[in-house]
Amino acid sequence: MANVKVTLDSATKTISVDDAHVKVSVSGKTKVQWSCHEGNFQIKFKPGSNWPNPVTTGTGGVWMAECGPFTNPGTTLKYAVESTGYKTLDPEILIDA
């Protein structure tokens, strides 16, 4: 499992992640899990991707979303991290064999 920490900075209204170029493995059946302690967020894959957008759930002050495992080696999935009132962030997932 690749874990990505999402941070919502309320002072600057920006979103950041601790890994903007997540690497996952098809053979390892790696999933990606995003988590945030500051508030709700959404993961939205860019047009051209066949991956469904994961649902974000929140319990106990932690919001989480998860997707995978991935099946298309040698590709890069571009996605957006969005949250109401914050500037959208555009990181990526690199899929290896």
Side-chain angles (χ1 to χ4, degrees):
M1 175 90 60
N3 296 303
V4 178
K5 180 181 176 186
V6 176
T7 302
L8 304 177
D9 187 327
S10 59
T12 62
K13 296 296 183 190
T14 57
I15 302 171
S16 62
V17 292
D18 65 347
D19 190 349
H21 305 285
V22 178
K23 288 188 179 184
V24 297
S25 164
V26 171
S27 63
K29 299 182 181 178
T30 311
K31 292 184 178 186
V32 176
Q33 182 179 74
W34 296 267
S35 64
C36 181
H37 292 270
E38 291 83 29
N40 193 14
F41 67 94
Q42 297 80 42
I43 301 297
K44 295 186 178 175
F45 287 101
K46 299 289 184 165
S49 166
N50 292 329
W51 288 100
N53 296 328
V55 175
T56 303
T57 58
T59 56
V62 178
W63 289 263
M64 300 179 88
E66 181 178 299
C67 70
F70 299 93
T71 57
N72 224 2
T75 36
T76 299
L77 290 177
K78 301 223 180 250
Y79 67 96
V81 183
E82 300 178 353
S83 184
T84 303
Y86 290 81
K87 183 179 178 191
T88 300
L89 180 68
D90 294 315
E92 58 190 27
I93 298 172
L94 309 170
I95 305 173
D96 292 332

